[in-house]
PDB file of all heavy atoms in Angstrom:
ATOM      1  N   ILE A 219     -10.892  11.179 -66.946  1.00 95.00           N
ATOM      2  CA  ILE A 219     -11.886  12.261 -67.029  1.00 95.00           C
ATOM      3  C   ILE A 219     -11.980  12.989 -65.761  1.00 95.00           C
ATOM      4  O   ILE A 219     -11.781  12.406 -64.689  1.00 95.00           O
ATOM      5  CB  ILE A 219     -13.236  11.806 -67.573  1.00 95.00           C
ATOM      6  CG1 ILE A 219     -13.808  10.781 -66.511  1.00 95.00           C
ATOM      7  CG2 ILE A 219     -13.034  11.163 -68.907  1.00 95.00           C
ATOM      8  CD1 ILE A 219     -15.243  10.413 -66.873  1.00 95.00           C
ATOM      9  N   ALA A 237     -11.929  10.370 -62.491  1.00 94.00           N
ATOM     10  CA  ALA A 237     -11.976   8.875 -62.503  1.00 94.00           C
ATOM     11  C   ALA A 237     -11.220   8.407 -63.766  1.00 94.00           C
ATOM     12  O   ALA A 237     -11.122   9.168 -64.723  1.00 94.00           O
ATOM     13  CB  ALA A 237     -13.377   8.352 -62.478  1.00 94.00           C
ATOM     14  N   THR A 238     -10.790   7.202 -63.762  1.00 95.00           N
ATOM     15  CA  THR A 238     -10.314   6.539 -64.998  1.00 95.00           C
ATOM     16  C   THR A 238     -11.355   5.455 -65.321  1.00 95.00           C
ATOM     17  O   THR A 238     -11.750   4.586 -64.600  1.00 95.00           O
ATOM     18  CB  THR A 238      -8.984   5.799 -64.618  1.00 95.00           C
ATOM     19  OG1 THR A 238      -8.014   6.832 -64.285  1.00 95.00           O
ATOM     20  CG2 THR A 238      -8.516   5.046 -65.914  1.00 95.00           C
ATOM     21  N   ILE A 239     -11.844   5.545 -66.607  1.00 95.00           N
ATOM     22  CA  ILE A 239     -12.847   4.693 -67.026  1.00 95.00           C
ATOM     23  C   ILE A 239     -12.361   3.915 -68.264  1.00 95.00           C
ATOM     24  O   ILE A 239     -11.497   4.396 -69.005  1.00 95.00           O
ATOM     25  CB  ILE A 239     -14.150   5.364 -67.376  1.00 95.00           C
ATOM     26  CG1 ILE A 239     -13.975   6.424 -68.532  1.00 95.00           C
ATOM     27  CG2 ILE A 239     -14.772   6.103 -66.141  1.00 95.00           C
ATOM     28  CD1 ILE A 239     -15.276   7.054 -69.016  1.00 95.00           C
ATOM     29  N   SER A 240     -12.916   2.758 -68.495  1.00 93.00           N
ATOM     30  CA  SER A 240     -12.549   1.876 -69.576  1.00 93.00           C
ATOM     31  C   SER A 240     -13.813   1.096 -69.986  1.00 93.00           C
ATOM     32  O   SER A 240     -14.796   1.150 -69.276  1.00 93.00           O
ATOM     33  CB  SER A 240     -11.400   1.030 -69.314  1.00 93.00           C
ATOM     34  OG  SER A 240     -11.582   0.199 -68.233  1.00 93.00           O
ATOM     35  N   HIS A 243     -15.894  -0.900 -67.496  1.00 93.00           N
ATOM     36  CA  HIS A 243     -15.488  -0.389 -66.199  1.00 93.00           C
ATOM     37  C   HIS A 243     -15.902   1.148 -66.063  1.00 93.00           C
ATOM     38  O   HIS A 243     -15.000   1.998 -66.194  1.00 93.00           O
ATOM     39  CB  HIS A 243     -13.954  -0.534 -65.891  1.00 93.00           C
ATOM     40  CG  HIS A 243     -13.606  -2.061 -65.828  1.00 93.00           C
ATOM     41  ND1 HIS A 243     -13.232  -2.679 -66.961  1.00 93.00           N
ATOM     42  CD2 HIS A 243     -13.428  -2.894 -64.781  1.00 93.00           C
ATOM     43  CE1 HIS A 243     -12.852  -3.932 -66.656  1.00 93.00           C
ATOM     44  NE2 HIS A 243     -13.013  -4.068 -65.301  1.00 93.00           N
ATOM     45  N   PRO A 244     -17.166   1.453 -65.884  1.00 93.00           N
ATOM     46  CA  PRO A 244     -17.573   2.824 -65.825  1.00 93.00           C
ATOM     47  C   PRO A 244     -17.154   3.499 -64.538  1.00 93.00           C
ATOM     48  O   PRO A 244     -16.716   2.819 -63.574  1.00 93.00           O
ATOM     49  CB  PRO A 244     -19.105   2.605 -65.951  1.00 93.00           C
ATOM     50  CG  PRO A 244     -19.423   1.360 -65.322  1.00 93.00           C
ATOM     51  CD  PRO A 244     -18.244   0.451 -65.663  1.00 93.00           C
ATOM     52  N   GLY A 245     -17.387   4.816 -64.548  1.00 93.00           N
ATOM     53  CA  GLY A 245     -17.154   5.611 -63.360  1.00 93.00           C
ATOM     54  C   GLY A 245     -18.417   6.356 -62.867  1.00 93.00           C
ATOM     55  O   GLY A 245     -19.128   6.763 -63.757  1.00 93.00           O
ATOM     56  N   ARG A 246     -18.537   6.524 -61.647  1.00 92.00           N
ATOM     57  CA  ARG A 246     -19.740   7.238 -61.003  1.00 92.00           C
ATOM     58  C   ARG A 246     -19.114   8.612 -60.460  1.00 92.00           C
ATOM     59  O   ARG A 246     -18.404   8.635 -59.557  1.00 92.00           O
ATOM     60  CB  ARG A 246     -20.302   6.401 -59.935  1.00 92.00           C
ATOM     61  CG  ARG A 246     -21.530   7.048 -59.246  1.00 92.00           C
ATOM     62  CD  ARG A 246     -22.760   6.783 -59.970  1.00 92.00           C
ATOM     63  NE  ARG A 246     -23.950   7.318 -59.300  1.00 92.00           N
ATOM     64  CZ  ARG A 246     -25.145   7.389 -59.932  1.00 92.00           C
ATOM     65  NH1 ARG A 246     -25.253   7.017 -61.174  1.00 92.00           N
ATOM     66  NH2 ARG A 246     -26.140   7.856 -59.297  1.00 92.00           N
ATOM     67  N   LEU A 247     -19.603   9.657 -61.073  1.00 91.00           N
ATOM     68  CA  LEU A 247     -19.098  11.057 -60.804  1.00 91.00           C
ATOM     69  C   LEU A 247     -20.293  11.962 -60.696  1.00 91.00           C
ATOM     70  O   LEU A 247     -21.094  12.087 -61.641  1.00 91.00           O
ATOM     71  CB  LEU A 247     -18.033  11.490 -61.778  1.00 91.00           C
ATOM     72  CG  LEU A 247     -16.834  10.675 -62.013  1.00 91.00           C
ATOM     73  CD1 LEU A 247     -16.035  11.095 -63.185  1.00 91.00           C
ATOM     74  CD2 LEU A 247     -15.979  10.484 -60.798  1.00 91.00           C
ATOM     75  N   MET A 250     -23.767  10.872 -61.695  1.00 90.00           N
ATOM     76  CA  MET A 250     -23.928  10.356 -63.060  1.00 90.00           C
ATOM     77  C   MET A 250     -22.903   9.223 -63.283  1.00 90.00           C
ATOM     78  O   MET A 250     -21.819   9.197 -62.755  1.00 90.00           O
ATOM     79  CB  MET A 250     -23.813  11.368 -64.107  1.00 90.00           C
ATOM     80  CG  MET A 250     -24.777  12.588 -63.851  1.00 90.00           C
ATOM     81  SD  MET A 250     -24.654  13.810 -65.134  1.00 90.00           S
ATOM     82  CE  MET A 250     -25.638  13.050 -66.397  1.00 90.00           C
ATOM     83  N   THR A 251     -23.265   8.247 -64.196  1.00 92.00           N
ATOM     84  CA  THR A 251     -22.419   7.201 -64.532  1.00 92.00           C
ATOM     85  C   THR A 251     -21.841   7.404 -65.961  1.00 92.00           C
ATOM     86  O   THR A 251     -22.583   7.684 -66.878  1.00 92.00           O
ATOM     87  CB  THR A 251     -23.176   5.881 -64.503  1.00 92.00           C
ATOM     88  OG1 THR A 251     -23.853   5.682 -63.227  1.00 92.00           O
ATOM     89  CG2 THR A 251     -22.253   4.654 -64.709  1.00 92.00           C
ATOM     90  N   PHE A 252     -20.539   7.185 -66.076  1.00 94.00           N
ATOM     91  CA  PHE A 252     -19.762   7.482 -67.305  1.00 94.00           C
ATOM     92  C   PHE A 252     -19.227   6.282 -67.844  1.00 94.00           C
ATOM     93  O   PHE A 252     -18.483   5.476 -67.188  1.00 94.00           O
ATOM     94  CB  PHE A 252     -18.642   8.564 -66.989  1.00 94.00           C
ATOM     95  CG  PHE A 252     -19.115   9.904 -66.644  1.00 94.00           C
ATOM     96  CD1 PHE A 252     -19.652  10.217 -65.351  1.00 94.00           C
ATOM     97  CD2 PHE A 252     -19.194  10.905 -67.556  1.00 94.00           C
ATOM     98  CE1 PHE A 252     -20.053  11.425 -64.955  1.00 94.00           C
ATOM     99  CE2 PHE A 252     -19.616  12.186 -67.250  1.00 94.00           C
ATOM    100  CZ  PHE A 252     -20.124  12.448 -65.999  1.00 94.00           C
ATOM    101  N   TYR A 253     -19.529   6.001 -69.146  1.00 94.00           N
ATOM    102  CA  TYR A 253     -19.119   4.750 -69.823  1.00 94.00           C
ATOM    103  C   TYR A 253     -18.201   5.076 -70.977  1.00 94.00           C
ATOM    104  O   TYR A 253     -18.515   5.937 -71.800  1.00 94.00           O
ATOM    105  CB  TYR A 253     -20.356   3.955 -70.336  1.00 94.00           C
ATOM    106  CG  TYR A 253     -21.297   3.605 -69.309  1.00 94.00           C
ATOM    107  CD1 TYR A 253     -22.345   4.477 -68.923  1.00 94.00           C
ATOM    108  CD2 TYR A 253     -21.306   2.294 -68.706  1.00 94.00           C
ATOM    109  CE1 TYR A 253     -23.289   4.015 -67.936  1.00 94.00           C
ATOM    110  CE2 TYR A 253     -22.242   1.896 -67.808  1.00 94.00           C
ATOM    111  CZ  TYR A 253     -23.299   2.805 -67.462  1.00 94.00           C
ATOM    112  OH  TYR A 253     -24.204   2.396 -66.458  1.00 94.00           O
ATOM    113  N   GLN A 254     -17.069   4.368 -70.950  1.00 93.00           N
ATOM    114  CA  GLN A 254     -16.193   4.475 -72.144  1.00 93.00           C
ATOM    115  C   GLN A 254     -16.836   3.631 -73.285  1.00 93.00           C
ATOM    116  O   GLN A 254     -16.958   2.476 -73.139  1.00 93.00           O
ATOM    117  CB  GLN A 254     -14.803   3.909 -71.833  1.00 93.00           C
ATOM    118  CG  GLN A 254     -13.876   3.918 -73.061  1.00 93.00           C
ATOM    119  CD  GLN A 254     -13.648   5.180 -73.750  1.00 93.00           C
ATOM    120  OE1 GLN A 254     -13.148   6.108 -73.135  1.00 93.00           O
ATOM    121  NE2 GLN A 254     -14.017   5.258 -74.973  1.00 93.00           N
TER     122      GLN A 254
END
Side-chain angles (χ1 to χ4, degrees):
I219 61 173
T238 298
I239 62 174
S240 57
H243 295 87
R246 181 85 176 166
L247 304 173
M250 306 183 79
T251 306
F252 293 77
Y253 300 85
Q254 173 59 59

